[in-house]
Amino acid sequence: MSGSSEKTILIVDDDLEMRAMLADDLKRRGWLCETAEDGGAALKALQEQDADLVLTDMNMPGMGGLALCEKLADNRPDLPVIVLTAFGSLDTAVGAIRAGAYDFVTKPVDTDLLAIALDRAWRHRQMQRQIQTLQAAAGGEDEGELMGRSGAMRELRQQITRIAATDASVMVHGESGTGKELVARMLHERSERRSRPFVAVNCAALPGDLLESELFGHRKGAFTDAHTDRRGLLLEASGGTLLLDEIGEMPLTLQPKLLRALEERRLRPVGGSTEVPFDVRIVSATNRDLEAEIESGGFREDLYYRLNVIQLEVPALRSRGTDVLQLAEHFLALYGRRFGKDMKGLAGPTAERLLNYNWPGNVRELRNAMERAVALTRFDHLGVDDLPRKVKDHQATRLVVEGDDPSELVPMEEMERRYILHVLKASEGNRTMAARILGLDRKTLYRKLQRYGVDGD
């Protein structure tokens, strides 16, 4: 059963007619069924062939359902067990849950309700498998917060590796919190300049005159507080890389001086009379549309093209598919060590909430959420209640196309992503059907899904 792409279930019941009835109904619903007459036979069957779920009666001769739950909880905690119990036997059901069962269904069996419970348990199992896969993958990567298996992140890392070998100026574009500075650092660390300094300056953090002094340095007496000569960051980063973060915030009055310095590779300190050569690679970063800024007169076109020789786009976290789980596991381990907590992982429902949330603050918001959650949790698996309220209460399927609250509105690309994934889910993963409903050819749909991090079947 373990190698099949179908949903597989082991039905355990001493009543032959009940086993046959359940198996016939579930086969019609797409399940691949195996059966066993008691708990001992079930354990033997699972040694020979794995299953996605176990559905077991409680009262059976030999090993009953409660003992089977306890055995599987000890040896196969990843395998969800659904128990069948007589109507009104609440104590029995509670005992089964305490013994490790995932859920229970009362007799006489309503097969529609049973199908819902089984589908929920199967999704839980798939989520746990996905988390395990991402945990294993996380151990083999050294990209830190730029980790990720989505097509967009794999492509970004490949681009960084290729570009790092050159000295071309790079502009890193992406929403706030996506990791633009991390991209700049990786460019530096994979370049021939890695043994020299990496220096970053936030162009939005300083007024124009101070930013000019910060970049170009100044001579003693150039202004009131200039008591000594000072080398600017263009010289401090000599031989290395200078990151001009939030370059779109640089005052227009300073932009011509920066352009001239970059073109001539020489600078004149504030209050100085001679020019000094410098050798740095410039990486700039912005979350603004600088081409629109050029149109409105807010940014110089000639400087833009000097800085934007190569452009790298850092994808938003909401467009990276299951990367959010890999990053969450990374932060879980990081803050677990920092706070002295032995964190085992994410509970399945927690992972679902993380996947469903839009992450407007991107990786920075996820990092903060995980730090808070690890600090507050009392358990070794992060639960839904440990998450910030806006994450755990988020409604993933709500697509707001009309409304007055700007915080509820999303970009067109995000609307498309959500709708495509909604259609794929409604089509039960049938990509041919989804492509037909969406009016896309299959190759286009596959490319979009790969960009969203939906690579597997």
Side-chain angles (χ1 to χ4, degrees), residues 346-363:
L346 303 169
T350 309
E352 286 191 61
R353 293 297 207 289
L354 296 177
L355 284 171
N356 289 340
Y357 185 59
N358 293 326
W359 300 109
N362 292 292
V363 180

Side-chain angles (χ1 to χ4, degrees), residues 167-270:
D167 248 4
S169 297
V170 179
M171 182 170 288
V172 185
H173 185 268
E175 294 180 9
S176 179
T178 50
K180 296 185 291 295
E181 182 170 343
L182 292 171
V183 170
R185 287 185 181 276
M186 187 178 283
L187 280 168
H188 174 73
E189 289 164 3
R190 296 189 177 186
S191 74
E192 295 297 322
R193 295 176 175 268
R194 57 184 171 272
S195 61
R196 304 297 295 164
F198 174 88
V199 178
V201 59
N202 189 322
C203 298
L206 298 169
D209 53 347
L210 291 181
L211 180 59
E212 180 180 6
S213 173
E214 191 77 5
L215 288 174
F216 294 93
H218 59 253
R219 294 294 181 234
K220 180 180 178 180
F223 48 86
T224 304
D225 294 325
H227 302 302
T228 60
D229 287 352
R230 181 181 175 185
R231 287 159 56 88
L233 296 183
L234 285 165
L235 291 177
E236 291 289 341
S238 182
T241 304
L242 176 64
L243 169 63
L244 300 174
D245 199 8
E246 298 194 49
I247 186 65
E249 306 294 336
M250 178 173 284
L252 269 173
T253 53
L254 182 54
Q255 291 180 27
K257 184 171 183 178
L258 176 61
L259 174 64
R260 184 174 182 274
L262 295 181
E263 288 181 336
E264 299 184 5
R265 293 288 163 173
R266 300 178 69 84
L267 63 85
R268 178 175 295 177
V270 177

Side-chain angles (χ1 to χ4, degrees), residues 399-413:
L399 296 179
V400 180
V401 294
E402 294 181 3
D404 299 322
D405 186 353
S407 67
E408 292 184 330
L409 304 177
V410 298
M412 183 66 73
E413 181 184 4

Side-chain angles (χ1 to χ4, degrees), residues 290-306:
L290 292 189
E291 292 188 359
E293 295 289 327
I294 292 169
E295 290 292 328
S296 65
F299 201 84
R300 288 182 63 104
E301 185 176 22
D302 45 8
L303 177 59
Y304 173 75
Y305 288 117
R306 171 60 62 182

